[in-house]
Amino acid sequence: MSTPFDFDKLVDRNGTASLKWDKYKGSDIIPLWVADMDFPSPPEVVEALHERVNHGVFGYTSAPESLGETVQTMLRQEYGWEIKREWLIWLPGLVCGLNVTCRAVGERNDGVFTFTPIYPPFMTAPVLSGRSLVSAHLYLHGTRWEMDLDKLERAITPRTRLLLLCNPHNPTGRVWSRKELEDCAALAERHNLVICSDEIHSGLVLDGRRRHIPMAMLSPEIADRTITLNAPSKTYNIPGLGCSFAVISNPGLHRDFRGAMNGIVPHVNLFGYVAAQTAYQYGEPWRRDLLDYLRSNHELVCQAVEDMPGLSTTPVEATYLSWIDTRQAGIEQPARFFEQAGVGLSDGGDFGLPGFVRLNFGCRRELLKEALKRMGDALRNLSN
Ligand SMILES: Cc1ncc(COP(=O)(O)O)c(C=O)c1O
């Protein structure tokens, strides 16, 4: 079926200083690792950037007034979440936000909890901030990864001050349900933990039965202990432009967060603001088509993995990332094995769970098919 946006169109990213593609420069390895997509951003975004370039003056910039309103409107329309403009803090990246959060909450050597497997900066930010990392594994219940709150409760100590949550979750693709969020939040309340909720993948819910619920929407009391981080970067494929934001309603937390940024965190790039504003205002038709395209890619991955000896995966509710268990395949270093087969995946060990790989299906379907074929062939050769 043809769509107004042609996600099948080949756009050569070689020689464009792409982190994803440069890793395998000069070799025949299909890069399905770092979380950006191979698609051009919505045409309106590209056009707005052209217009801004044509202006020709690129001085210091502050967040346009209208961008705050745009974010307020987006959060209201998408989730029914009413935020005040003064709760917003602009950031040049979400990872920056995670690190600032760890520095803003508690004291040196305090504990920061997170569930693993997890996007690696959740594990490095506490350590880089002089905090100690406390973690527990998610567990697989049927085909869904779930939070083990008993384990969380046992892992934390009186010095644990902060809980880093990823919702929707990278790398498992879970969209946490209201009940799961409520149980997690109740535990945070019982132990007086600040919650940092990274919601960067919230615009990429693929499963029509799931809805993203911002943690801070559960109740005013939970909002009071929550730092929400979000960005248009994953949804509209503009991560190279670095425009993200924090929403913090608690004045004390807001002040401490800004304090930890002072003198260190640079302003957001002016193109980041332009792209963010345009994406949120005009990118919805593109996003809808993107989600359809990603759903089909996701199906393709699930079907192909089912036919791969020793591999299994779970349905992705959000994100364009599949989390694949290779432990029954009899391969020692799965990411290396698939690289040698011509496919570059992320190594589960980096996410705290060796034996898994993460596959980014935010790419042209033909490329994805070729990558899946290479993976399947390599595994079948192994078992022959
Ligand atoms: C959960 C999560 N948070 C943050 C980021 C990165 O955010 P940024 O590029 O804005 O630092 C990613 C990128 O993959 C992510 O998956």
Side-chain angles (χ1 to χ4, degrees), residues 35 92-96 98 119 122 166 170 198 200-201 233-234 239 244:
L94 252 274
V95 171
C96 166
L98 290 169
Y119 176 59
F122 279 62
C166 191
N170 172 7
D198 175 336
I200 195 170
H201 294 282
S233 47
K234 296 290 160 190
S244 316

Side-chain angles (χ1 to χ4, degrees), residues 130-151:
R131 274 41 173 183
S132 68
L133 174 70
V134 188
S135 66
H137 280 318
L138 297 169
Y139 71 102
L140 194 57
H141 182 215
T143 58
R144 299 178 87 195
W145 289 91
E146 295 189 356
M147 294 187 245
D148 187 335
L149 296 181
D150 290 337
K151 257 197 198 159

Side-chain angles (χ1 to χ4, degrees), residues 34-36 91-98 118-122 165-171 198-201 229-231 233-234 239-240 242-244 319-321 351 358:
V34 70
D36 74 24
L91 294 163
L94 252 274
V95 171
C96 166
L98 290 169
I118 189 67
Y119 176 59
F122 279 62
L165 184 76
C166 191
N167 179 34
H169 188 261
N170 172 7
D198 175 336
E199 305 187 359
I200 195 170
H201 294 282
L229 302 174
N230 207 333
S233 47
K234 296 290 160 190
C243 177
S244 316
T319 76
Y320 44 79
L321 308 164
F351 294 72
R358 195 192 69 174

Side-chain angles (χ1 to χ4, degrees), residues 152-199:
L152 193 173
E153 194 130 33
R154 281 198 301 275
I156 59 179
T157 72
R159 289 214 62 175
T160 311
R161 302 290 311 279
L162 174 65
L163 189 158
L164 297 180
L165 184 76
C166 191
N167 179 34
H169 188 261
N170 172 7
T172 67
R174 277 300 319 279
V175 176
W176 305 115
S177 68
R178 179 174 296 278
K179 169 85 170 68
E180 286 173 309
L181 292 175
E182 280 173 352
D183 289 349
C184 183
L187 193 144
E189 278 193 303
R190 252 189 339 269
H191 294 277
N192 197 22
L193 306 179
V194 171
I195 302 168
C196 174
S197 185
D198 175 336
E199 305 187 359

